[in-house]
Amino acid sequence: MKKSNQVVVPVVIDTNVLVPSLYSYTRIAVFMTYGNILLVWNDFIYDEVLEIMERLSPIDDDPFLYAAVEGKAEYIISCDSKHMVSMGNFNNIPIGTPDEFFNWVIQEHPMRRG
């Protein structure tokens, strides 16, 4: 990705903004990606970010789970039966296979047939 010609701004970002930006496509994430933001932080901020990320979930699928919550997803579709599907739901968002999703969507969002 090409760096923008705009000014680089040194900023401190509160963790309630920084952590979602690590997982999803936010405006802050875009600025960081293009090199327009220079993160100013210390050991305290670093430790807090790690603690929040560890708290989100004990499995490797954190980015998907966090994106589902932040994006207000109604369903998480996965074929990972060991980690994801076995959870059943995350933050009241159902998790299932593609087939389970289609069964769920028929019940939750019935579609009229022409």
Side-chain angles (χ1 to χ4, degrees), residues 4-76:
S4 169
N5 292 328
Q6 296 178 2
V7 174
V8 176
V9 181
V11 296
V12 173
I13 303 176
D14 190 5
T15 53
N16 66 348
V17 174
L18 179 61
V19 172
S21 296
L22 298 174
Y23 285 113
S24 51
Y25 191 73
T26 65
R27 289 174 59 194
I28 295 295
V30 171
F31 268 67
M32 287 191 301
T33 302
Y34 281 101
N36 296 111
I37 289 179
L38 173 65
L39 288 177
V40 177
W41 63 354
N42 56 23
D43 289 342
F44 175 82
I45 297 170
Y46 177 79
D47 291 342
E48 186 172 314
V49 167
L50 288 181
E51 187 256 319
I52 290 169
M53 291 172 68
E54 287 172 4
R55 230 183 322 132
L56 290 175
S57 176
I59 61 176
D60 293 333
D61 296 307
D62 286 346
F64 299 100
L65 300 175
Y66 201 82
V69 171
E70 288 301 305
K72 297 179 177 56
E74 290 186 46
Y75 202 93
I76 300 169

Side-chain angles (χ1 to χ4, degrees), residues 57 59-62 64-65 75-90 93-101 104:
S57 176
I59 61 176
D60 293 333
D61 296 307
D62 286 346
F64 299 100
L65 300 175
Y75 202 93
I76 300 169
I77 302 170
S78 178
C79 288
D80 181 354
S81 58
K82 183 177 178 183
H83 297 114
M84 294 286 279
V85 177
S86 63
M87 292 174 64
N89 74 71
F90 181 76
I93 302 170
I95 303 172
T97 65
D99 288 339
E100 291 169 333
F101 166 73
W104 173 87

